[in-house]
């Protein structure tokens, strides 16, 4: 299978397209104002939103579901989310979680980017398809779902061997959105951060060499190497 990974967005908030001959799987869906950057990125690859076969969410937070409802209503693209985060993606209220240490410059940059890209206009999903740990979805790239609870109850890693990548959402970050730190560390605003290190151990023996986070640059190395690099 010919497959290519396209990064859409930036190190503040990113989504990713797995582009294959059979169509596209979108991993996460950015912010509500990201329609144009998605269309531009797909056009540069000779594709269109109509080629997207499904959106797969690493978790149900508002900065990951952004344009999913637009894709569902405009193009009949289904969104897949772990059953434990289905309510979150559909607007269920969640407990607040601490973001940790903050520096003014990086925090302002994050909030400004969120405002510019429609972060105050969250569109929760009207319908979702639920998935579970161990599922291999019938979508381009055959994404494999690995439960990764901690950041949220339904956080998952999405393994796509076709592009040599594992997507870990906000379980880990390589650019802390509130203080700008580029250390490998647990993502902020986690519901149960003490659970995440144990969850990450499920990835340790996987061979893929691109670990894709929701915020920050891609980590080029294995999951074991990223776990070893994590700031304690």
């Amino acid at each position: 299978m010919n497959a290519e990974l396209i990064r859409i967005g930036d190190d503040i908030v990113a989504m990713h397209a797995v582009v294959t001959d059979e169509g596209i799987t979108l991993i996460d869906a950015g912010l509500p104002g990201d329609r144009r950057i998605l269309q531009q990125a797909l056009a540069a690859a000779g594709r269109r939103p109509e080629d997207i076969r499904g959106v797969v969410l690493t978790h149900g937070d508002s900065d990951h579901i952004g344009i999913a409802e637009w894709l569902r209503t405009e193009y009949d693209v289904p969104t897949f989310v772990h059953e434990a985060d289905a309510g979150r993606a559909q607007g269920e209220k969640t407990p607040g979680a601490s973001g940790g240490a903050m520096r003014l410059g990086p925090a302002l940059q994050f909030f400004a980017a969120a405002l510019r890209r429609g972060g105050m206009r969250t569109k929760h999903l009207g319908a979702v398809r639920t998935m579970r740990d161990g599922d291999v979805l019938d979508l381009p790239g055959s994404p494999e779902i690995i439960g990764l609870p901690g950041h949220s109850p339904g956080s998952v890693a999405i393994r796509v061997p076709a592009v040599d990548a594992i997507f870990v959402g906000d379980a880990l970050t390589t650019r802390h959105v509130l203080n700008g730190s580029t250390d490998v560390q647990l993502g902020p605003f986690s519901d149960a951060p003490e659970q995440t290190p144990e969850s990450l151990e499920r990835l340790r023996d996987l061979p893929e060499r691109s670990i894709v986070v929701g915020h920050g640059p891609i980590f080029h190395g294995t999951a074991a190497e990223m776990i070893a690099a994590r700031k304690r």
Side-chain angles (χ1 to χ4, degrees), residues 67-87:
I67 58 173
E69 180 65 3
W70 169 68
L71 288 169
R72 186 184 75 85
T73 56
E74 291 293 320
Y75 300 102
D76 198 29
V77 176
T79 292
F80 296 80
V81 61
H82 189 280
E83 57 189 4
D85 264 25

Side-chain angles (χ1 to χ4, degrees), residues 84-184:
D85 264 25
R88 185 180 294 232
Q90 294 181 280
E92 183 180 285
K93 204 163 187 180
T94 58
S98 171
M102 182 185 299
R103 290 176 54 225
L104 184 59
L108 286 176
Q109 187 179 12
F110 171 63
F111 291 122
L115 285 172
R116 187 175 65 252
R117 293 166 57 183
M120 299 300 291
R121 304 191 304 274
T122 301
K123 296 290 185 184
H124 290 104
L125 283 147
V128 298
R129 296 188 187 180
T130 57
M131 59 192 187
R132 295 181 177 182
D133 179 31
D135 286 351
V136 177
L137 304 180
D138 186 19
L139 291 173
S142 300
E144 176 187 346
I145 307 306
I146 303 170
L148 214 64
H151 182 75
S152 69
S155 285
V156 300
I158 302 166
R159 183 188 182 200
V160 186
V163 291
D164 195 31
I166 302 170
F167 303 82
V168 298
D170 290 359
L172 290 169
T173 183
T174 56
R175 185 192 185 281
H176 195 294
V177 295
L178 296 183
N179 60 41
S181 170
T182 57
D183 291 325
V184 176

Side-chain angles (χ1 to χ4, degrees), residues 39-57:
Q39 291 167 325
Q40 290 173 340
L42 294 183
R47 302 300 185 97
R48 303 177 300 166
E50 290 90 336
D51 296 323
I52 299 174
R53 301 290 177 256
V55 178
V56 187
L57 300 179

Side-chain angles (χ1 to χ4, degrees), residues 20-21 24 31 33 71 89 97 108-109 185 189-190 206 208 222:
T20 77
D21 297 336
I24 296 168
L31 290 160
L71 288 169
L108 286 176
Q109 187 179 12
Q185 59 197 293
F189 304 112
S190 293
L206 298 178
E208 284 74 24
T222 64

Side-chain angles (χ1 to χ4, degrees), residues 5 14-18 24-30 54-58 64 140 143 158 160 167-169 212:
L5 178 61
M15 52 184 157
H16 296 82
V18 177
I24 296 168
T25 295
L26 193 66
I27 308 293
D28 286 328
V55 178
V56 187
L57 300 179
T58 57
H64 290 256
I158 302 166
V160 186
F167 303 82
V168 298
V212 185

